[in-house]
Amino acid sequence: LLQIFNPEVPGLLVGILGFKTMFFYWPLAILAYAYVDNLDRLERSMKAIVYLSIPICLFGIYQFFQDRNFMVRVFGEGFRRAIVMASGGRRQEFLRVFGTFASTGQFTMFLVINTMFIFGVLFSATKRSEKIIMVGCLVLNYISILCTGSRGGLLLLFPTAFLFVI
């Protein structure tokens, strides 16, 4: 809620739209229970999410190795706001990896939740090849989290994994 009134945001409407973007997917997560009604369907859904996350992670890693104006050149000037940060009263531009999301934070939270999905599929896998693929996805996911540069996501990963183990 503090982001709505952030002094660096150009206006109240932009802050409200950002708030909407951050919480848009939560109702969909609640509705998912209506569609995933047995263990087999849950496992197939989690595998689909994990496999579809591979190109998203690869694109995030690719962004990390590009220069800071890569997204601006590819998608237009509107993406400049995604890479511009305010620091100490002056503006500094540096690359913020956001994958296919609107912000680094959203990308990082996706990666944290995706890590839990990977753990779920990994520990329920019966085939050795599937376990190896999931370990590869886990490594790819972790590298993507490191590329975002988000301390919050990295710090959240450990308690979330701890809760998963419990």
Side-chain angles (χ1 to χ4, degrees), residues 29-78:
I30 294 167
L31 290 173
Y33 288 106
Y35 298 106
V36 180
D37 56 358
N38 63 40
L39 194 57
D40 183 50
R41 198 175 281 175
L42 172 65
E43 190 174 345
R44 282 187 284 138
S45 298
M46 287 174 52
K47 283 181 187 177
I49 291 169
V50 169
Y51 292 141
L52 291 172
S53 74
I54 293 171
I56 295 171
C57 290
L58 290 173
F59 184 59
I61 294 169
Y62 179 75
Q63 283 178 11
F64 178 76
F65 287 105
Q66 299 302 309
D67 67 338
R68 64 182 183 196
N69 292 316
F70 168 70
M71 294 303 284
V72 174
R73 281 194 318 271
V74 174
F75 294 107
E77 194 61 35

Side-chain angles (χ1 to χ4, degrees), residues 62-100:
Y62 179 75
Q63 283 178 11
F64 178 76
F65 287 105
Q66 299 302 309
D67 67 338
R68 64 182 183 196
N69 292 316
F70 168 70
M71 294 303 284
V72 174
R73 281 194 318 271
V74 174
F75 294 107
E77 194 61 35
F79 276 85
R80 181 159 310 279
R81 193 166 284 292
I83 62 171
V84 173
M85 290 295 294
S87 174
R90 65 179 212 267
R91 297 185 81 71
Q92 291 180 327
E93 288 190 19
F94 60 92
L95 179 66
R96 297 176 61 216
V97 174
F98 49 88
T100 58

